[in-house]
Amino acid sequence: MLLYYITDIAPHNDRAKGLSPFMLRISLLSSAALLLALPLAAHAESDPPAAATPADPDQAAPVQDIVVTGQRLDAARASIQPGLGATTYSITDATIAALPGGDNQQLNQILLQLPGVSQDGAGQLHVRDDHGNLQYRINGTILPEGIAVFGQTLSPRLVERFDLRTGALPAQYGLRTAGIIDITTKTGFRKGGVVSLYGGSHDTIEPSVEYGGTSGDGKTNYFVTASYRHNALGIEAVDAGRTALHDKTNQYQAFLYIDHTLNDSNRISLVGGYADQTFEIPNPRGLHPSSGYNVGGVTDFLSDNLDENQHERTAFAIASLLHDSGPLTLQASLFARYSSLKYSPDTLGELLFNGSAQAADKKDFSTGAQVEGVFRASDAHTIRAGFVVTRDHGTGRTDTLVFPTDASGNQIGQPISIAENDSATEMTYSVYLQDEWKPFDLLTVNFGGRFDHYKGFRSESAFSPRINAVLTPGGGVTLHVGYARYFSPPPFANIALTSVTRFQGTSGLSPNALLVDDAPYAETQDYFDAGLEWKLSSTVTVGLDAYHRHSHRLVDEGQFGAPIILTPFNYDHGNVRGVEFNINYSAHGLELYGNIAYAKAQGEYIVSSQFNFDPAELAYIASHYIYLDHDQTWTGSAGASYRLGDGTKIGGSMIYGSGLRTAGPIPAGGTDPIPNGGKLPGYATLNLTASHKFEGPGIEIRADVTNLFDHIYEIRDGAGVGVGAPQFGARRGFFFGISKSI
């Protein structure tokens, strides 16, 4: 099936590195009783010791029993975090394989096939016109945020299935609320693996391997995957040329999953991953500096020769204990994530073009504990509760070369170095409780609330009530309506640690002479969502969903300065609203899907990180609602696949965008364009795929074409609030792959 959409509005059950000593004290004190009780419960509920295992090697029943137990525990784990009125779109590994590129593409490219997901430059994407604010979960456990900008930490190769949950979310989801990307990993139940080689246009070469299996007694499962990617289009090109200038990337990714079934009621698991990725920053062509700076008598530099680079690394680990018995299911996890970003400038070139050259090295280390559970009190009431504690520590080291300047901003000497070494720590605490209530068969009401507190650059707290109602009147129709109060702190790892006041009297001075440097605030939202799913027949399903959110201190992000690091800031007020429609057809080997989404996102009055903005922009936004830079009015995608009986598959996919924002026209009587007042032209790209599997030798070959009609389109033009450089979509590409089952 090319794309399998589920609007998860019906009431049903879906399916380290270690902590610092300080965090261990907090998490273990909170969960010691639970963690100590689980082994005791397991011992009490386990069967009496069995007789010695028969010597008959053909006796496979124990292994099969373990597989069945593992599948039951998977379902039990999923019951802790069902959608319960949220809108959920799901993709399986079979769906990924049927898309052009298959699992050789990045995870963000697959997400673009879902309703309301729009693309941005540098691999970013936006769900329902929100900037970031996404939370990734692996097998139900939160993956802490990192500071990667271009790199993708997670490969599609590890995915058995993932769900994108959005809308009015139940109380177990908080802090990051635009979308929850909940990944269920491959486990090893399907013993075997694949080695593959993929490549083609843009100097692409991508070897990969994956393998999974089960121990002899069936109690231990494992899955591993690793890949290497090289191409000459690591970041979107800054011009419309077919070949980007200075844009090579080398990317290594690895992932490991291990679980061990202790008995029918308990299982432990370990998940780990690592990504090491380098990117050349693409160069504009044919430009010369015009700012008049002089470095040792040198005043000229050709932009083609710039050599700027970024290196991003991420490592994560999650250890979990799952317990399921009778009416109670619990999962306790410890998690950790390390990430780093190092930007290396072209010192001479950036000094002459920009008046500053900054080498930046940021590191972030997050650790935490998560305990969640579900108690089935009766047929009418299902209680869910949990808590999460996270410690996030970040360090930043910068060395900035700037020119000393006079009061008029003119250079008065040769470059000087301003070095900064800073660090900060943030603690976050969350707890929730909710009840899934069925007053009668056709209606489910899920209500509850959560409390969140964080202390870092600021200290803020909020209680967030949630309520959803789901009605199934019959005829294949399911209706839902919900309200959620959200509390989203700014992404800690992206908050600038440097002080703008250190650059007074230099060419690195902020454009805003007021030098206002307020730390960003947490965003609060009132979110309303309503929709329906209608199964017109056994082969056709349609969905419609509408939402409106009002935000106080809306969090946005922008690139300010040469290092490609996004920095959060706040609009005092924000309004976002939209509608999504999707349709899915599946019959006789043919899969079709399509969706279209409308959205409008605006904000007013910037109240934090003001030093990053031009005074004219600040003055206009202080009294006018403007479009957010990532607002896109219309977003769509569609696709099809057809499976022939001889092992051949053909298919295609398409994405459409009406264009992100750019600087607008100059208003009557004004001198400056309206911030984000304009919009870039719309675009549509079509991709095709064909593959054939030779069952005997277990070999599969595939061919893919991306951007079939070689459409030239601009994702960003370098103008707009917090927008860095121009970025163009990739030109037409031809790719070929071969894989062998092992």
Side-chain angles (χ1 to χ4, degrees):
M1 184 171 188
L2 184 64
L3 188 65
Y4 176 45
Y5 285 147
I6 299 177
T7 304
D8 192 0
I9 55 182
H12 65 277
N13 289 335
D14 300 325
R15 65 151 235 175
K17 292 217 172 182
L19 297 174
S20 68
F22 177 71
M23 282 298 299
L24 279 171
R25 287 195 295 270
I26 293 175
S27 60
L28 292 179
L29 284 174
S30 304
S31 56
L34 169 65
L35 296 177
L36 291 173
L38 292 184
L40 296 176
H43 178 76
E45 294 157 1
S46 60
D47 295 331
T53 304
D56 183 0
D58 298 326
Q59 193 170 22
V63 174
Q64 180 62 31
D65 289 345
I66 293 295
V67 172
V68 173
T69 299
Q71 294 170 344
R72 180 183 62 77
L73 290 174
D74 285 343
R77 180 186 64 205
S79 73
I80 299 174
Q81 303 178 74
L84 293 173
T87 301
T88 299
Y89 305 110
S90 300
I91 289 184
T92 67
D93 64 332
T95 302
I96 294 172
L99 290 169
D103 57 13
N104 300 288
Q105 59 186 317
Q106 303 275 39
L107 186 61
N108 63 328
Q109 294 297 314
I110 298 171
L111 283 162
L112 291 177
Q113 298 300 316
L114 297 177
V117 182
S118 57
Q119 76 169 329
D120 202 340
Q124 298 179 75
L125 51 84
H126 308 290
V127 175
R128 291 191 169 184
D129 259 11
D130 211 328
H131 195 295
N133 200 22
L134 299 174
Q135 182 181 98
Y136 288 81
R137 295 190 175 209
I138 298 179
N139 296 333
T141 300
I142 295 171
L143 178 65
E145 293 176 290
I147 53 178
V149 177
F150 304 128
Q152 298 287 307
T153 301
L154 302 174
S155 166
R157 292 184 177 87
L158 63 88
V159 174
E160 179 73 24
R161 162 191 169 131
F162 74 81
D163 300 322
L164 170 61
R165 292 195 175 97
T166 186
L169 299 169
Q172 65 261 36
Y173 300 113
L175 303 179
R176 298 289 166 255
T177 53
I180 308 298
I181 301 169
D182 194 356
I183 296 172
T184 300
T185 65
K186 297 174 182 177
T187 62
F189 283 144
R190 295 181 295 180
K191 184 174 183 179
V194 176
V195 293
S196 68
L197 181 65
Y198 188 77
S201 298
H202 314 303
D203 295 333
T204 299
I205 182 71
E206 187 173 349
S208 66
V209 61
E210 62 181 73
Y211 190 81
T214 303
S215 64
D217 60 2
K219 292 185 177 182
T220 302
N221 298 289
Y222 59 90
F223 174 80
V224 295
T225 180
S227 64
Y228 165 74
R229 174 195 297 262
H230 168 86
N231 64 52
L233 193 63
I235 307 170
E236 290 86 354
V238 296
D239 57 39
R242 186 175 299 278
T243 303
L245 181 62
H246 190 263
D247 201 7
K248 293 180 181 178
T249 182
N250 291 286
Q251 304 177 26
Y252 302 86
Q253 289 179 310
F255 174 81
L256 166 69
Y257 172 89
I258 300 175
D259 73 42
H260 180 73
T261 302
L262 301 173
N263 51 44
D264 287 349
S265 300
N266 297 279
R267 182 176 67 190
I268 56 175
S269 62
L270 174 67
V271 169
Y274 180 72
D276 189 310
Q277 302 163 326
T278 59
F279 301 88
E280 294 180 337
I281 309 302
N283 297 342
R285 303 173 195 264
L287 301 181
H288 294 268
S290 59
S291 301
Y293 292 117
N294 180 316
V295 180
V298 178
T299 59
D300 192 26
F301 195 102
L302 180 63
S303 61
D304 300 43
N305 299 326
L306 289 168
D307 185 17
E308 304 163 341
N309 299 273
Q310 192 147 301
H311 185 190
E312 302 177 6
R313 292 182 295 175
T314 296
F316 66 88
I318 299 171
S320 299
L321 173 61
L322 177 67
H323 171 75
D324 177 62
S325 61
L328 179 66
T329 302
L330 295 166
Q331 178 165 279
S333 303
L334 301 176
F335 54 80
R337 175 170 178 165
Y338 168 83
S339 59
S340 68
L341 181 154
K342 184 175 183 179
Y343 173 78
S344 302
D346 186 304
T347 302
L348 178 60
E350 292 189 27
L351 279 170
L352 294 176
F353 275 102
N354 305 319
S356 67
Q358 182 179 91
D361 189 356
K362 292 188 61 134
K363 296 180 174 66
D364 185 81
F365 184 52
S366 299
T367 57
Q370 177 179 344
V371 178
E372 297 183 297
V374 54
F375 179 69
R376 302 161 189 89
S378 67
D379 291 340
H381 293 276
T382 301
I383 309 299
R384 293 178 174 87
F387 73 85
V388 182
V389 182
T390 305
R391 180 182 187 270
D392 200 339
H393 180 71
T395 61
R397 301 179 60 185
T398 61
D399 189 357
T400 310
L401 287 172
V402 292
F403 296 102
T405 59
D406 59 22
S408 301
N410 299 314
Q411 176 184 349
I412 58 174
Q414 288 302 294
I416 60 174
S417 175
I418 299 177
E420 299 177 273
N421 296 305
D422 299 283
S423 65
T425 300
E426 179 177 273
M427 294 294 304
T428 305
Y429 310 88
S430 302
V431 62
Y432 71 87
L433 176 66
Q434 62 185 347
D435 180 17
E436 179 186 349
W437 174 41
K438 288 184 67 69
F440 52 88
D441 286 344
L442 301 183
L443 177 66
T444 299
V445 179
N446 186 68
F447 60 94
R450 61 180 292 130
F451 178 80
D452 299 287
H453 171 78
Y454 81 97
K455 184 176 182 180
F457 291 96
R458 292 187 181 275
S459 179
E460 299 180 270
S461 305
F463 173 72
S464 305
R466 312 283 179 87
I467 184 168
N468 284 287
V470 180
L471 180 67
T472 53
V477 175
T478 304
L479 306 171
H480 78 103
V481 61
Y483 165 79
R485 177 78 166 174
Y486 289 145
F487 175 77
S488 298
F492 172 79
N494 289 350
I495 297 176
L497 299 176
T498 58
S499 172
V500 295
T501 58
R502 301 183 187 185
F503 293 94
Q504 293 189 58
T506 75
S507 54
L509 182 65
S510 161
N512 191 336
L514 296 177
L515 294 177
V516 180
D517 190 11
D518 291 335
Y521 298 87
E523 176 180 355
T524 56
Q525 303 175 11
D526 290 295
Y527 199 112
F528 302 89
D529 182 275
L532 66 86
E533 180 190 60
W534 188 5
K535 295 183 181 297
L536 298 175
S537 67
S538 60
T539 59
V540 180
T541 302
V542 298
L544 181 67
D545 201 86
Y547 61 92
H548 173 85
R549 96 171 196 243
H550 176 72
S551 295
H552 178 54
R553 291 175 173 166
L554 182 149
V555 175
D556 200 352
E557 297 180 41
Q559 181 201 334
F560 307 101
I564 315 300
I565 301 171
L566 297 178
T567 302
F569 63 94
N570 299 92
Y571 292 91
D572 195 39
H573 307 287
N575 289 297
V576 181
R577 58 183 179 272
V579 179
E580 297 169 355
F581 172 80
N582 67 80
I583 184 169
N584 188 55
Y585 170 86
S586 175
H588 311 298
L590 176 64
E591 313 289 342
L592 301 171
Y593 72 90
N595 65 74
I596 188 73
Y598 165 85
K600 183 177 182 179
Q602 294 181 305
E604 180 191 38
Y605 187 25
I606 293 174
V607 293
S608 67
S609 305
Q610 297 95 328
F611 64 91
N612 285 312
F613 300 90
D614 184 271
E617 283 186 337
L618 281 178
Y620 184 89
I621 300 170
S623 57
H624 297 81
Y625 271 92
I626 67 166
Y627 286 97
L628 306 186
D629 71 281
H630 52 272
D631 171 80
Q632 183 164 268
T633 305
W634 294 98
T635 300
S637 64
S641 72
Y642 183 67
R643 181 185 296 272
L644 284 71
D646 62 351
T648 301
K649 294 182 291 185
I650 56 175
S653 66
M654 182 272 291
I655 63 170
Y656 165 77
S658 62
L660 298 176
R661 309 304 301 188
T662 184
I666 298 175
T671 58
D672 298 299
I674 298 173
N676 298 341
K679 143 181 127 51
L680 294 172
Y683 62 89
T685 60
L686 177 64
N687 311 309
L688 298 179
T689 184
S691 65
H692 180 80
K693 186 168 185 178
F694 301 92
E695 292 293 345
I699 293 175
E700 184 173 22
I701 58 174
R702 70 179 302 141
D704 302 305
V705 183
T706 59
N707 196 355
L708 176 66
F709 299 109
D710 200 24
H711 179 56
I712 298 175
Y713 64 100
E714 197 168 19
I715 301 172
R716 292 288 195 182
D717 68 353
V721 177
V723 178
Q727 293 170 317
F728 284 77
R731 301 287 296 271
R732 179 170 51 218
F734 297 93
F735 303 91
F736 304 92
I738 182 170
S739 61
K740 172 72 170 66
S741 299
I742 55 177

